Amino acid sequence: MQEFFDVLNETGVYIGKTETREKCHSDGLWHKAVVVFVINSNKQILLQKRSATKKLWPNMWDVSAGGHVLSGEFGFQSAIREAKEELNLNLDKQDLTFIGATTSVNTKGDIINKHFNEYYIAKMDIDINALKLQTEEVSEVKWIDKEEILERIKNNYDGITDKQGCWEYLAEFYKWLDTNK
């Protein structure tokens, strides 16, 4: 199934045009993406290991769920859809807390990925053995302690994707959690 994205200008405004994923990535057109961080009551974050067949960051540990916002979707709708597709995790709007947004540009080979990213937290305790992974996207999942993920971020994204704005928002959320107990 071909995916279509709303095309944005450099300030994030929809320009009344949609394009395919391929066209957005080949021409470096701005579009939206979402990230979901699932955090349990022990402040651990659920990480997914990207499939070996992914074009960007294959076999790297990554955010709990995430992906592109399809044409006509709101970010929270995309976050819900991506969590369901990638992990078979059922979320609804009330499960998500919006924590911020950034822009990012990632270029690898012939892919120019220009995103307006939205970041969401889902606080929940889940049994990772009950998750059904979308094997084209995700090869495994694990819980990781807050201290370990913060150390990996600090150490040049050691063993995790180098999605810079993304991980910094998670670090800020953890700081907020610690000061608002």
Side-chain angles (χ1 to χ4, degrees), residues 66-146:
H68 291 95
V69 177
L70 299 177
S71 179
E73 277 186 326
F74 288 109
F76 74 88
Q77 292 172 307
S78 194
I80 291 167
R81 178 181 50 76
E82 290 289 350
K84 179 68 174 172
E85 287 175 3
E86 294 177 1
L87 307 173
N88 199 34
L89 181 61
N90 292 311
L91 300 176
D92 59 39
K93 189 176 180 185
Q94 292 73 21
D95 295 322
L96 297 171
T97 301
F98 175 76
I99 61 167
T102 64
T103 59
S104 64
V105 178
N106 293 296
T107 304
K108 183 170 183 176
D110 59 351
I111 298 174
I112 307 165
N113 224 350
K114 291 184 173 182
H115 287 164
F116 282 87
N117 304 297
E118 294 182 10
Y119 304 111
Y120 296 90
I121 298 288
K123 291 184 189 175
M124 54 184 25
D125 292 312
I126 55 175
D127 176 3
I128 61 173
N129 297 314
L131 297 175
K132 185 177 183 322
L133 307 181
Q134 181 185 26
T135 55
E136 307 84 41
E137 299 275 335
V138 182
S139 62
E140 60 184 290
V141 293
K142 69 178 178 180
W143 288 108
I144 184 171
D145 290 330
K146 175 184 91 167

Side-chain angles (χ1 to χ4, degrees), residues 33-37 48-50 54 56-58 60-68 86 102-106 113 115 117 119 137 152-153 156-171:
V34 295
V35 168
V36 179
F37 299 109
Q48 66 163 265
K49 189 172 188 183
R50 293 170 64 87
K54 295 294 288 178
L56 296 174
W57 303 290
M60 296 288 297
W61 288 100
D62 199 2
V63 301
S64 306
H68 291 95
E86 294 177 1
T102 64
T103 59
S104 64
V105 178
N106 293 296
N113 224 350
H115 287 164
N117 304 297
Y119 304 111
E137 299 275 335
R152 287 176 180 234
I153 294 166
N156 201 30
Y157 312 103
D158 180 31
I160 59 175
T161 58
D162 60 354
K163 297 177 178 177
Q164 295 176 351
C166 164
W167 296 112
E168 282 72 19
Y169 263 94
L170 177 65

